[in-house]
Amino acid sequence: MLRLFTDFDGPIVDVSERYYRVYQYCLEKTQRPGQAVRQLSKAEFWQQKRARIPEKQIALTSGLDEAQAQEFSQLRRKTVHTEPYFDYDTLVPGAVEALAKIQAAGVDLAVMTMRRVWELDFAFQKFDLGRFFPENRRYCLSNDYVKTRDIEDKPLLMAKALKELSFVSDTWMVGDTEADITAAKTHNIKVMAVESGIRDRAQLELYRPDLIVPNLSSAVALILEKSTLTLR
């Protein structure tokens, strides 16, 4: 049997509008009255996020001073994972169709995300995604989990999943960050990185995934093609 672990934000959900709206809010709240700032366009902002430019540097580029950049960074962390802004998330084009395709092919599908339970539930209800992932195929953080770093937390989540789930002969991971790649490689799982998320190709290449593809649709097509070839 074939199993696919997919990350949530990046392969399935586009978070760029949420992140940009939070950037706009934090810039507005941090600037002094009358202070001239340069608000980045969404394209400029998202390019910098995908290249892993630090929050403080984005703030400085936008015209804030050092003290304001620190304040901006702290406010951003407090705001970006709050319910009003989750409403700005949208589905990655073709993601639902890809999930339906791989589910119909009989692949065991599981989601693995650094979202907390309530954050994942919110998105599942908004986008009607629960049909693809039963309760025992949802791996996320508890609401009271004390985060360290995604690149450390995600391999732990993968370990939990592998301990709980039945053995399968073949497994793939699809994700959009270094945490996804590291989680898969730590447990000797093949991994595809998608370019539809929060890391650009140059950043993904640093962590050496097995493949880099445009999106979940491309990943699903390749996985099904490879599994068919294996069965021949």
Side-chain angles (χ1 to χ4, degrees), residues 143-159:
N143 290 329
D144 59 356
Y145 185 87
V146 180
K147 289 186 179 183
T148 56
R149 296 190 305 155
D150 286 1
I151 204 166
E152 296 171 1
D153 290 332
K154 200 142 200 179
L156 297 177
L157 203 58
M158 179 65 84

Side-chain angles (χ1 to χ4, degrees), residues 19-20 39 44 70 83 86 96 99 111 121 129 145 197 214:
Y19 278 52
Y20 185 60
Q39 179 178 290
E44 288 175 307
Q70 184 66 36
E83 190 167 325
F86 274 112
V96 168
L99 291 173
V111 66
D121 285 348
L129 294 172
Y145 185 87

Side-chain angles (χ1 to χ4, degrees), residues 95-217:
V96 168
E97 292 80 1
L99 291 173
K101 184 177 181 180
I102 203 154
Q103 186 180 61
V107 174
D108 188 37
L109 192 56
V111 66
M112 183 168 294
T113 173
M114 291 290 96
R115 284 196 184 217
R116 299 187 184 278
V117 171
W118 79 263
E119 296 167 347
L120 188 61
D121 285 348
F122 179 89
F124 270 24
Q125 290 168 14
K126 178 180 179 181
F127 299 119
D128 186 28
L129 294 172
R131 57 201 160 115
F132 298 114
F133 304 100
E135 292 282 350
N136 66 351
R137 292 297 187 275
R138 302 176 189 178
Y139 288 91
C140 59
L141 302 181
S142 64
N143 290 329
D144 59 356
Y145 185 87
V146 180
K147 289 186 179 183
T148 56
R149 296 190 305 155
D150 286 1
I151 204 166
E152 296 171 1
D153 290 332
K154 200 142 200 179
L156 297 177
L157 203 58
M158 179 65 84
K160 180 176 187 290
L162 295 175
K163 184 178 179 181
E164 293 179 358
L165 297 175
S166 60
F167 173 80
V168 293
S169 57
D170 198 14
T171 304
W172 279 93
M173 173 75 191
V174 173
D176 69 321
T177 70
E178 61 282 354
D180 299 307
I181 299 168
T182 300
K185 283 180 166 287
T186 299
H187 297 283
N188 299 312
I189 289 170
K190 299 187 297 293
V191 57
M192 281 194 210
V194 293
E195 295 181 270
S196 56
I198 202 166
R199 297 288 182 262
D200 61 22
R201 190 179 188 92
Q203 290 297 317
L204 295 171
E205 285 175 344
L206 294 174
Y207 291 86
R208 304 188 178 209
D210 293 285
L211 291 164
I212 299 177
V213 295
N215 49 39
L216 183 62
S217 299

